[in-house]
Amino acid sequence: MQAACFQASRATPPTIYHGVVHLFRVEIPPPRDLFELDDLLGWKPWLKGQVHTEIIPGRHGVHLLEPHVATLAKKLRAAIEANSTCRTR
């Protein structure tokens, strides 16, 4: 999966995003040599809108497994609902 992510990032040139972003970070960060570990996980040059950061329990790789994925799902649902509410005003 990581190879597919890297391939997609090379194939699609990044553009600046001005909208609202909900960034989900794990409680236990991955090793520094694997990922960007700044506050926005390397997204800062591409994000010009408002960023909401949510911390989810666990570490990278485990955050998509029970019981942590339930917390991620709950926070993701809340972010989607908040964004939908903003659009209808």
Side-chain angles (χ1 to χ4, degrees), residues 10-66:
R10 287 189 299 272
T12 308
T15 58
I16 294 177
Y17 183 72
H18 295 275
V20 176
V21 171
H22 294 268
L23 179 67
F24 298 92
R25 298 178 55 121
V26 289
E27 183 178 44
I28 303 166
R32 289 194 171 274
D33 60 337
L34 293 181
F35 295 95
E36 297 281 346
L37 290 182
D38 60 50
D39 288 345
L40 297 180
L41 303 175
W43 289 102
K44 188 173 186 170
W46 314 113
L47 304 178
K48 300 302 179 198
Q50 190 175 18
V51 179
H52 299 277
T53 302
E54 293 281 350
I55 304 298
I56 54 174
R59 60 180 168 75
H60 184 77
V62 179
H63 65 293
L64 298 178
L65 302 174
E66 290 293 352

